Amino acid sequence: MKVNLNEKYKTRDGLEAIIYSTTSNSPYSVHGVVKDKDGFEFLYEWNNKGSVLNSSFQHHHDLVCVRNYDHIKIDDKVIVWDDDVEENARGHFAGIDSMGNPQIWNHGKTSFTIEDKNDSVGYDYCLEWEEPHD
């Protein structure tokens, strides 16, 4: 994920994050605020991938992109992809994970044919599959 001003974000722990700037040349080039549950705003800086800390550890205030997948039903055919992978994947929609990322069932399965309901994989992006027109 690369943070940009055209997306809506929250923190890993579910708090609203408002991004004001992504243009700085500093290592932490994303600037904004996190609103706590009482509505107080706290200034934050993130790197361009939305991480609070420059480490491999996750922080509860790392950014998570909020996308709406309400229009896609479980088992609908979808195309999914990640920022860092050139090739798209096809599959059947398996819902969203706790971070708000879309998932597809593994091995081309559906909710009817999958044995383990946790046997899915998440991606950064998802679009409904549209049948080709003649």
Side-chain angles (χ1 to χ4, degrees), residues 60-74:
H60 64 280
H61 283 165
D62 287 345
L63 295 176
V64 176
C65 191
V66 177
R67 295 187 179 95
N68 187 345
Y69 296 105
D70 291 345
H71 64 287
I72 303 176
K73 296 177 182 62
I74 299 296

Side-chain angles (χ1 to χ4, degrees), residues 94-106:
I96 58 172
D97 62 20
S98 62
M99 302 310 301
N101 294 321
Q103 301 181 98
I104 60 172
W105 302 110
N106 278 325

Side-chain angles (χ1 to χ4, degrees), residues 80-89:
V80 292
W81 69 96
D82 288 327
D83 276 330
D84 56 350
V85 177
E86 291 183 22
E87 195 154 324
N88 297 341

Side-chain angles (χ1 to χ4, degrees), residues 10-116:
K10 65 180 179 177
T11 61
R12 286 189 186 279
D13 59 354
L15 298 176
E16 181 182 2
I18 301 169
I19 307 305
Y20 294 124
S21 171
T22 61
T23 58
S24 170
N25 290 327
S26 72
Y28 290 91
S29 59
V30 178
H31 301 104
V33 296
V34 172
K35 284 188 176 182
D36 72 8
K37 296 194 187 303
D38 296 322
F40 293 104
E41 295 180 352
F42 298 91
L43 292 172
Y44 267 86
E45 292 181 332
W46 298 271
N47 67 19
N48 66 359
K49 293 187 178 203
S51 295
V52 170
L53 303 173
N54 192 14
S55 72
S56 60
F57 298 106
Q58 292 181 349
H59 188 275
H60 64 280
H61 283 165
D62 287 345
L63 295 176
V64 176
C65 191
V66 177
R67 295 187 179 95
N68 187 345
Y69 296 105
D70 291 345
H71 64 287
I72 303 176
K73 296 177 182 62
I74 299 296
D75 294 335
D76 278 356
K77 294 176 184 176
V78 294
I79 301 289
V80 292
W81 69 96
D82 288 327
D83 276 330
D84 56 350
V85 177
E86 291 183 22
E87 195 154 324
N88 297 341
R90 295 184 296 174
H92 294 91
F93 190 65
I96 58 172
D97 62 20
S98 62
M99 302 310 301
N101 294 321
Q103 301 181 98
I104 60 172
W105 302 110
N106 278 325
H107 313 296
K109 301 279 187 165
T110 67
S111 63
F112 180 73
T113 58
I114 200 85
E115 292 180 23
D116 179 359

